[in-house]
Structure formats: C-alpha cells, structure tokens
Amino acid sequence: MKRSTVLFSLALTFASAGAANAATLDDIKARGSILCGVSGGLAGFAQPDDKGNWTGIDVDFCRALAAAVFNDPTKVKFLPLTAKDRFTALQSREVDLLSRNTTWTSSRDTQLGFNFAGVVYYDAQGFLVRKAAKVSSALELSNTTVCTQSGTTTQLNLADYFRSNNMKYEAVVFNTADEVIKAYESGRCDVFTTDVSQIYAERLKLSKPDDHMILPELISKEPLAPLVRHGDDQWFDIVKWTLFAMLNAEEYDVSQKTLEQRLKSERPDVKRLLGIEGNYGEQLGLTNDWVVRIVRHVGNYGEIFDRNVGEGSRLKIDRGLNKLWNKGGLQYAPPIR
Amino acid sequence: MTDVPVRRERLKASWIFRPGVRSAVIQLLLVGLLVLVGWFIYRTTRQNIITQRIPIGFDFFWIESGFSISQTLIPFSESNTYARAFLVGLLNTLFVSALGVFLATVIGFLVGIGRLSHNWIIARLCGGYVEIIRNLPLLFQILFWYLAVLAALPVPRQSISLFGEVFINNRGILIPKPMFGECIGVVAALAVAGIALSLILATLARRHRIRTGAGMKTWPVALLFVLVAPLFAFFYLKVGVAVDHPVLKGFNFIGGMRVIPEFLALLIALSTYTAGFIAEIVRAGILAVPRGQTEAASALGLRRSSVLRLVVVPQALRVIVPPLTSQYLNLIKNSSLAVSIGYPDLVSVFAGTTLNNTGQAIEILGITMLVYLFISLVISFAMNMYNRRIALKER
C-alpha cells in the first residue's frame, strides 16, 4: 500500500514538473547557472584546454550572458554537442541556448522551432585542398572526393554547388569535425569543406598546415548565430540584447580598459548603454548595470573577436565582414533606448 | 472403537491473503502505473511541441533531400526525396548486416571447430583469435580497420593494381563492372527457376529415400536446371557481355564498381568481432554433445566426416541456434556504429542528416526505432522457426 502511494506521488511530481514549464530565466536563476550548448572542440569558437577551461568566441558569448544575469561569468556550464545532436538538445531543453557556430537559416528559424539572436560571426563556406594537387579554383574539383560534416548547411551547400556547376563528386560524411579532418589528412578525401573560420581552425590540426590551401571561391553565406527555443520571448530578448550590447559597447568605445573612464562619460548614448540613465536593463528582466557587467567580465565584441579568432589569437583571421558597420563591415546593433 | 468423523475445517483467511486477489491487484497497479507514465510522456511532448511551435507529421518525406550519399544500392541524387534517402540508408544497413551475418557465421564456425582441433597450432591460433577479438571494444576495432589499415593504402595515383583490372587504394577497391545485354533478365529468371526446381527435386528424392531406402542421383538433373539451361539461353539469345573498366581520370577512378573503405572497414570489424562470439557458441554446442554419441556412431562404422555431419552437428545445433540468434541481432544493431566512420547507414542518413535538416526528431527517431525492432523481430522469428525444426522431437 505504502509503496504504491509513493510511486503515485512520484508520478504526480513528474507530471507537475512537466506542467510547470517555467520561463527559462527563472529556471536559470533557480539552477544558478546557464546551460550553454557549444561545439566540441573548435579552435577560436569553443575549445577546452587540458585543464578543462573553455575558450572561444561562442564560449565568451555565453560568459557574457552569465555576467549579465549573475554578475559572474563563471556561472555557465558548457555542453559540447555534435552538429548532429545540437538541435535535439535545444528542443528537449537540455541546454538554454546554443552558441555553437550555427548558421541562421529559414527552416531552422521556423520548422525546427528556434529563434536566432543576431549574427556573432559572418562566415562563408570554402574548400581546403592540398597544394600538391595543383588546383587554383573550386571549378576544377570535378570528380573529387569531399569530406564534410553531417547535419550541417555545409553538406547541403556542397551538393548545391557541385550540382549547379555540373561537377561529379563523392561526399563522405562524418559525425564530428575531428573525424572529418582526420579522414582528409589520411587521404580519404581530396577536399575538406566547411565554413572558412573553421577551416582556419581545423588546418592547425594537420601535421603540415602549410601544405594545404584554401581555394578563393566562397560558395555560401554562413551567418553564425546563437539560438534559443521558440516560446520564451523574454529569454530570446536577453540573448539578443546581450549580443547587441557587446556590439554597441565596441561602437561607443567601451572596453575592459576604458570602462571606468567611460562610466564618467557625459554622452547620453553611453550613459544609456551603461545604465546610468534609464532602466533599460530592468526592462529586460536584468539589472540596469548589465552592460557594465558584460564588459567588465568579458569585454566588448571587438575584444572577444580579437582574443579568440583575430590578431590576438593563433588563427589570425581578418575581421573582414565582421567589422562594425561604420568601419566597413556588417556588424550593426540597434540602439539601446 | 467408535467412528468419530474427523471434521476438516478449512481455515478461512481474509480475502486479502488470497494469491489470486493479490496478483490481480499488483498487476492492476502495474498497468495503471504504465498508463500513467505513458500519459505523462504524451502530455509533456504535446505541450512542448505546442509551446515551441514545431510542426509535426510525415510530410517531410516528400521534400527534396538536397544532399548526396556516398554508397547507394539504388540510384539516388540530390533531387530525390527524403523518403528515398530513408530507403537508401535502410538498404545500406541491411546490406552490411546481411553480409556481416554470413561472414560472421562462416568465420565463427571455422574458428569454433578449429579451437577443438587436435592440431595444437590451429587450436591455439583459434583460441588467441577469440580472446583478442572478443575483449576489444567494437568501436575501437572499426576505427582500427578504417584509420590504421584501410587509410594506410596508397592514394589513387599509386593504386595497387592486380592484372591492371582491379585497383586497390585508400578510396576503396575498384573492380571491372560486367555490362550485360538486354535479355539478361530471361537468363536470370531461368537460373532462379532452376534453383527452385532443384530444391524441389532434392526434397522429393529425400522423401523417396526415407520411404524406400533407395538413394537417387539428383545432381545431373540439378546441374541441367541451374547451369546448362541459363547458359544455353545466354548464347542462344546473344545476350553478350561488355566490361566497364575502372580508369584513373583526374583525382579519382571513373567507371567499374567500387567498394568504399567505410563499408569494408565496417564489414570486416562487424564480422570478425561477432565471429569471436559465435566461435565460442559453436565450441560450447559441440562440447555439449556427449562423447558417447561420437563413440557409438564410430562403433556403427560411420566415417569421421559422417559422424560429424549426421550425429554431432544436428545435436550441437540445438544448443547453438538460440544464442546464435542474439549474436545476429547484436550484429545488426552494432552496424549503427557506422556513423563514426561515415558509412551511410540508416542511422547516419536518416536519424542523422535527415533529422538535422528537417528537425522532425520525434517522427524520425520513432521510425528508426520501429525499423530496427521490425528487422530484429523478423530475424528472431525466422531463427525460432529454424530452431523448432531442428529441436529434439520427442516421440
């Protein structure tokens, strides 16, 4: 008798837990940390070192969120996910957001049930080949074997490109980025294709990186963006505006170095950004000094770019399209007011 | 002595203690709990789907897939639907599983019998094989064959060439492809009919032998059915055969038939791994036949091969078949490890790429589960039928 009562009440508890379906922000606060789905090991975007410390632009974005919510960038747990598993993990509430070099596409935005919170990195798909193959254009790649990762836009762009140029090819599709680059290095494939930023990172894993070259053709648009589930607008707003805050901070020259000095600024837009005027942070469900927290703990967009993928990193990728809009790039954040 | 009737009074216990009532209550509770859990899962899923506004249904099957697959048993291109991609993945899974089951059985029986051999070297070799193969993780073995063995083969330009016809390189094995004329269908149909007729003939001959004790030579007739008739048709209809040779052109070979290294690695790993277990099952089965049976058969004057074929193996099979079935099922399920080396099986193509591009996780995982369940049940059913046929018939 007693046992069945216990079981029954257990079942009821589960049922009510499912029914509660609380707001993501409340869940996060109750849990004391943000669950952030990241890439399993992609230099510049998300990679753990031998002590388990994560670095990368995607990682720093989640740290910025933790800084905004908790005033503590360490209150975030990183879950490495394969390209194939990432969407299921987000749909099934295993993570609060994906910050996992994921391309923003219409079907992912609609049919998969996600919202994309703005572009962290404007990327494009390219091809890596051996210099010894003496190829100078992607149009010479007919009858090649191409290694790529399963469940990515890359796999589909590849098919589109070869199909539209009437070129034959064989795609060998792997689950993780590591398996792809290993197969390419072993000679299973003539070509390795993925987003160019990722090619830069993966090339470092090859035994002789200088024996390989990236072909000039860029065959797709790959706006890499963090994403959240449909159905929680407040959390979507927080993620979106954290990115905008980092971009605005760079635009108004608020960096880790200049923060203390800029806090004394008389410029109204800087005052609004840093929460000295207005209650824009509270409108989001955060505190008014949210941007101060983000910049103090993590930095502005330019800083995290430089530190992880730009000149200050091993990858040394040119900022290119990712420059601010007023410097000739595409990065443009709506104003905080 | 007076007759005192002994009154046996049945102890009347409370109805709660009756076993029938108790088991009924427990079963009811269990069913109730199951229903509750099922209902809870259904409700949570429904709610999550609604809050996330995910469309559900099976319409995605008819959308153009937009990706390509490296090994297809039926023609497949980017413009084909997800339904066809599903079929391609399923056929690839069945293909590697069927060949794997066949090879594992052959290797397993040889090694199992070899381990019992009186030849010291053969017995030790087979024992070593079993101990090494059985005790290393399967995923490791798959990666070993793929990354350490097959990837170490030369690049296409430096292929190992056998007679200038067969080429072996790190992109696979290329063999010439025979191209038959139009009427090859007639020849194939004749061959199939010939095999069927020969089987019927063999059954009739066996019945005749059991009834009368007189043997019948059937093989000349069977040969006529299976070989001579189709061959005659082949030449009479002038089917003709051309050969499509593999030729190196640019990066890769063109033409011929190609066995991709992903398939080879998976097939080798799956069949050798499962063979290690089958070998032990076979050994156990043979050892389970009492020694007296062999001795009695020898005493009757049967030759050693006849002793094995007529006395030992039929009895050993009774012990072998049930655990053999579970090894077959394991092999089929283990074939899903294909994803780790990029072999396009059902899990990789359907529960991987298709799931990711359409986002229909519940439908796709459900279908995948049902497919594996269905395959396993069919194998199980067939093996149980076979088991019933060879089981000890008590008369």
Side-chain angles (χ1 to χ4, degrees), chain B residues 82-162:
Chain B
Y82 284 120
R84 199 165 174 93
F86 164 75
L87 206 60
V88 169
L90 176 62
L91 286 175
N92 281 344
T93 289
L94 290 176
F95 185 49
V96 77
S97 302
L99 275 178
V101 161
F102 173 74
L103 281 179
T105 312
V106 173
I107 303 172
F109 269 77
L110 289 178
V111 174
I113 294 169
R115 210 178 169 184
L116 293 172
S117 164
H118 296 301
N119 185 322
W120 190 84
I121 294 178
I122 291 180
R124 285 306 136 105
L125 272 180
C126 292
Y129 172 89
V130 168
E131 291 312 329
I132 291 171
I133 289 283
R134 233 169 31 139
N135 292 311
L136 291 175
L138 176 56
L139 182 59
F140 167 80
Q141 294 191 34
I142 292 175
L143 292 175
F144 168 79
W145 286 108
Y146 188 60
L147 292 173
V149 179
L150 296 178
L153 289 169
V155 295
R157 273 169 212 289
Q158 288 141 23
S159 300
I160 302 166
S161 157
L162 303 176

Side-chain angles (χ1 to χ4, degrees), chain A residues 193-205:
Chain A
T193 183
T194 186
D195 300 347
V196 172
S197 65
Q198 209 171 331
I199 294 184
Y200 272 95
E202 297 293 341
R203 187 161 66 163
L204 295 177
K205 292 182 190 162

